[in-house]
Amino acid sequence: MSRMIFTLSAFGLFASGMLGICDPSSAGEPPASAAPAVVPLMNRDVVGAPGKEAVMITVAYQPGGTSLPHRHDAQVFVYVLEGAMTMQVDGSAPVTLRAGQTFYEGPKDVHRVSMNASQTEAAKILVFMIKDKARPATRGVDEKAKP
């Protein structure tokens, strides 16, 4: 029971942290209602890798929705479920991905651009990450600090 409560608490912290980072209203971008909706799906210890956990979530973006720059300090695998997303990590060109395509972020990457490529249709991604249990799933970065 205590593990389930801990896991639910961790999901709550993850989701609220992700939404806080993604809430662009204070940055003069789209209103908070356009902020992505994070839904935790699973959290499991990684067998054979003490201190590591696997986290799976979906993130839904409204038309024109975007996330503020952030990082995960984790290996992050993204699969586009619906719509189209424009993604960019520092040091790489932006890419626009459609349903069925994938994206990867390394543990040292800063996810500079994560936005719905459409102003008229919603987009949804499935995110799977492998991270240190002791580290937050997502943390903000200084928007103005470029690589």
Side-chain angles (χ1 to χ4, degrees), residues 3 7 42-46 52-55:
R3 173 143 170 77
T7 300
M42 181 184 294
N43 180 321
R44 296 285 187 268
D45 290 346
V46 176
K52 295 285 188 181
E53 66 182 342
V55 175

Side-chain angles (χ1 to χ4, degrees), residues 52-69:
K52 295 285 188 181
E53 66 182 342
V55 175
M56 188 181 297
I57 63 169
T58 58
V59 185
Y61 289 79
Q62 295 301 315
T66 187
S67 298
L68 294 176

Side-chain angles (χ1 to χ4, degrees), residues 8 16 18 28 30 36 39-41 45 49 54 56 91 142 145-146:
L8 292 173
S16 62
M18 184 71 165
V39 176
L41 301 174
D45 290 346
M56 188 181 297
D142 183 354
K146 295 281 183 177

Side-chain angles (χ1 to χ4, degrees), residues 6-7 9-15 17-18 21 43-45 49-55 70-76 106-110 129-141:
F6 173 77
T7 300
S9 297
F11 278 145
L13 290 172
F14 174 77
M18 184 71 165
I21 289 168
N43 180 321
R44 296 285 187 268
D45 290 346
K52 295 285 188 181
E53 66 182 342
V55 175
H70 60 278
R71 63 182 302 148
H72 299 287
D73 301 318
Q75 292 188 75
V76 179
K108 299 197 182 300
D109 286 337
V110 171
M129 71 175 69
I130 300 170
K131 63 179 259 330
D132 291 337
K133 290 176 75 168
R135 302 200 71 157
T138 303
R139 65 184 174 98
V141 297

